Structures are given as structure tokens and as C-alpha cells.
Amino acid sequence: MELLKISRPLSPGPLKPSEYAVKPELIEKRAATALPDIVGVRIKDLFPDMPNPIFPSEMGISTVRKATEAALRGINMDMIRPEHSVNILASHHGFVLLGGEPYAEMVKTLRDTIYERTGSKDIRLRAGVGLRFRETEEYIERFKLDEHFGRGKAIGVAPVDEGIPIETEIGTLYGLKKVYDADWIVHAHNTDVRELHFHRMVDRVVKPFAMSYARIETRSTYHQDLGPRAANFVARAIFDSPFVQSKWSFACFLSVSPTGIIGVDADNDLYAMNDRVTRLISKTYGKLMTLLSEIDECIVVLDSVGPVPYTFAGGTIFANFCSANIDIFDLDVPVPAYTWYTEAWYDKKNMPLSQDIVPMNPAIRMLVINNAWTGYPSEFWAAHIPTVVVGQNMANHFRSDPQNSKFMDHVVVVDDVLTAVDFAKKAARTGKILIFDGASGGINVSQSLAELLVERAPKVARKVERELMPKWLAQRGLAP
């Protein structure tokens, strides 16, 4: 075993205060440091060709500002006049990446650069959310975005806010009025793979137009009416509409890989950016997800900011690992185990009602929740995977969440994480542990699982480069 590829545990991502979280001081121990036999495996050691991160780095957050300024030098902003208003459109997704500071810095730099280049004094921030309606308000306060933009110009927008009709090729859809109440919009997002189980890397960069920037009726069309893949044209229809195009200026994305923040990308042509992002995600996250599919059995420990499906390990989220038993990038593969669309397609024994739905990843033998947020319907996982919740504080937090009223009916509560994992090892009959704790640039796992990942990584890299990635790109109309 190469010692360079396995080290002591990596520092878990910091816990953050939120009304959707148990207070950080009440989380007695982090799994990576409390559990024996846990080691850190760095993504760059597994896949040496992964991009080097600009953040975290010794240079600190200034690297993100410099990268944003450099990316914006080639952007046409001539359409924005001094008397015009500009809405920078953001999403809560970006604020959970590596603590949120990189995304916040990109957004601040956007505001400053637009002001310097155009003379516009009316530049606002419109930050969208999912079901946790107060979440972006917390980020605005934490990163002092209201101070940076000017009092009252940085606001969170929720899917239940006042809508505005948008006429599209497929009929009338609804955006959020506050998103489009400026002369121009700037699309500020990131290349994090995030909800791969939903979008399947089809028009990834357009998705927020049917999500963070849309009314709940249109979001529901994406999630429930049409399901994954078919729903992707909803976002494209909104973005391509005459109304949105009349306000369109450019996009600026935080470039993310499993190693961390690797740069900033900007373009007036969103679809040109989409092609670059598709290639980047296929080459980076494609390797990570394919490697995770090599795991035959494990206990998953959640110990990160974000709701159950959105806890991070190696830059990917738990919801994606739930479908690691299939090639989730392959568009020939049927519907993944988990999407909102498929939640209703299970019988009383939690078996799929349609042969097009792949069962939950059988490698996940048990789930231990040391820390996860509420504010997102998560009963699906407790019903499908034997689940242990650590401590009464976390248990009471789930009991008090109206979106998880029956979650605790499916779980057992254990006082501390060490006892919880010992119980899980006996019940699941495996010592392999995978921790979703937001560690930067790598994954905290048990020694036995680390050895498996290190052994399989070279083979996975060759397979992705020679076989899988050419297929994935061709399915999306891109040359190898």
C-alpha cells in the first residue's frame, strides 16, 4: 500500500449554525476523529491528473477574487449602461461548497467588477433556495453580502414568492418576480455535480432557471410531473424564452472538482459554457463516481452541513452514492433509485413498482447520522436503509421538522457516534466505513475501504478515459 495515498483523517468540514441544524456545540464528536481506524484518502493521490485547487490553498480566498477578475476580462458587458439595474442570480447550492466563502467571494467580485466596468450603481443580489426558505438569508448575513451590495439590495428569494409568467415554447411557466425585476441578469452558479441523480448532466448549467429562479409550480413540474431527464427541457425552455433572453447578459461559474475550487469560468454564451462544464464534470466527478461504484459494502456516516442527501464526501453528495450501483452518467441506464419523481414508485416493501427504477445501492448496508440538517423530506432514506441517529439532540431535531414527521419511526437512537458505529458494524457485518463530512480534497474512510479505493483507482481512471467518457460525451452531442 502506498503510504502517500493514505494518511491520518482529513479535517472534516466545519459545522455552521443554522435554524435547520443542531447547534454545532451540541455535536459532541466528529466521526472522523472519534472513530478508530479512520484514514484520509486524497483525491489527487487517487487520480493524479485531477486539477490542482486554487482554494483551499496557501494564498487563501484572494485566489478566488483574482480568478473571477481574470475570467471576467473577456466578458462583454456593453449592454449594461450606468442607468441600468442588474440582478446577480445566485443559489444556495454554492454557499455549501467548502464553507461557502469561495462562492461568496466570487459573488462579491462580480458586483465590484460590474460596477467598475459599467458604472451601474443599482446592482442587486437575488439568492434562491429550495425548501429551506430562510437559508440564503443566513448566508447573506454570514458573509456580510447585504453590507457589500448595499442595505436591502441582497435578498433571498423563495419558490413561494410572487411569480411572473414566462411564455415559452412549451407554454406558460413561472419564474420569481424579484429575480427578473432588473434590466439585466447575471447567472452566478458553480460546476459542482450536485444533483446528478436529477439532471443526469443534461443542460447542467441551465437547471437553476427551473429551480432557484422559478416558482414552486414550475419547480414541481421539473421534480414530480416529468421526472429526471425529461424535465431538463423545462429549464432550457425558460432560459431560451424571449423574456429571459431580453434580460440576459452573461454567466459566471465557480469551477469545482473533487479536489476543491479549481478556478472561475465566465461566458456570454451559456451553452458554450455548458459544453465545457460537461467535459469537466465527466473527467473529474466521472472518475470519482465510478470509483465509488467499486465499493461492495459499507456503513455510511453522515457528519456534515446540509440535509441528508446533500452531505458531502470527496466533493460528491450522499444522494449520488445511493445510485452508485449504476453508471449514473450513462443516459441508457434507467431511472436512478432516488429522485422526487421516483419516491412514490415503491411498494410497501420499498421495492420499485417499475422495472425502469433501479433499486437503492445495495452496498449501503447501514446509515449512521451524526450530523445532518432538516428542512428537506428525508424519510425515504430511513425507510430504505437501516438507520441510526446519534444522540437525543439530533433525534429531537428530526422529530420537530414538519417535513420529516415520520422519519424517526424508522430509526434507532444511540447516545454517541462510537457506539452507533460499533452497533452498525455488528448489524451490517462489515467494517468498511465511508464518512460524508465535507472534508476538503479527499474522503475519510476506514483503512479497509481506503485500501480498496487505492487499489481500484488506476483501473477506474483508464476505464473512464478510454470507454466511459467518450460514451457519456457522445450521448450529449459532444466529441471525445
Side-chain angles (χ1 to χ4, degrees), residues 195-200 222-229 231 309-310 319-320 322-323 326 328 334-346 356-358 360 376-377 380-381 384:
E195 295 167 318
L196 179 61
H197 52 293
F198 280 137
H199 57 70
R200 304 293 294 279
Y222 186 103
H223 276 312
Q224 277 127 338
D225 293 352
L226 295 171
R229 292 186 58 193
Y310 295 123
N320 290 330
C322 292
S323 295
I326 63 171
I328 200 169
V335 182
Y338 169 74
T339 68
W340 276 7
Y341 180 72
T342 58
E343 272 191 299
W345 286 79
Y346 288 87
D356 290 332
I357 300 173
V358 180
M360 175 74 71
Y376 187 97
F380 176 87
W381 287 276
H384 283 76

Side-chain angles (χ1 to χ4, degrees), residues 5-73:
K5 293 182 178 178
I6 298 178
S7 67
R8 60 185 181 183
L10 304 171
S11 297
L15 302 180
K16 301 290 185 179
S18 170
E19 69 175 77
Y20 304 102
V22 171
K23 292 180 180 179
E25 60 268 24
L26 296 179
I27 304 299
E28 295 183 1
K29 295 179 180 179
R30 302 301 298 276
T33 53
L35 300 175
D37 195 40
I38 298 299
V39 296
V41 181
R42 294 192 177 278
I43 302 297
K44 188 74 175 174
D45 289 332
L46 293 171
F47 303 110
D49 65 339
M50 284 278 186
N52 291 316
I54 65 170
F55 184 91
S57 72
E58 295 180 357
M59 299 296 291
I61 198 63
S62 65
T63 59
V64 175
R65 176 165 285 267
K66 291 176 182 177
T68 306
E69 292 171 340
L72 293 176
R73 290 191 189 111

Side-chain angles (χ1 to χ4, degrees), residues 199-277:
H199 57 70
R200 304 293 294 279
M201 273 311 300
V202 176
D203 289 342
R204 162 70 176 89
V205 304
V206 187
K207 183 172 179 282
F209 285 90
M211 299 300 295
S212 297
Y213 315 152
R215 266 284 304 188
I216 197 161
E217 295 87 353
T218 292
R219 291 173 64 106
S220 297
T221 296
Y222 186 103
H223 276 312
Q224 277 127 338
D225 293 352
L226 295 171
R229 292 186 58 193
N232 285 300
F233 68 77
V234 174
R236 179 182 277 260
I238 294 174
F239 176 71
D240 288 344
S241 69
F243 173 73
V244 173
Q245 286 299 306
S246 72
K247 294 176 177 290
W248 174 254
S249 59
F250 65 93
C252 186
F253 274 45
L254 195 66
S255 294
V256 188
S257 89
T259 57
I261 309 303
I262 60 173
V264 176
D265 192 6
D267 209 316
N268 293 100
D269 184 342
L270 187 58
Y271 290 121
M273 177 183 281
N274 189 67
D275 290 348
R276 294 196 296 273
V277 170

Side-chain angles (χ1 to χ4, degrees), residues 90-93 126-130 136 155-158 176 212-213:
S91 171
H92 62 301
H93 293 180
R126 301 292 189 255
V129 294
T136 50
I155 62 172
V157 289
L176 295 176
S212 297
Y213 315 152

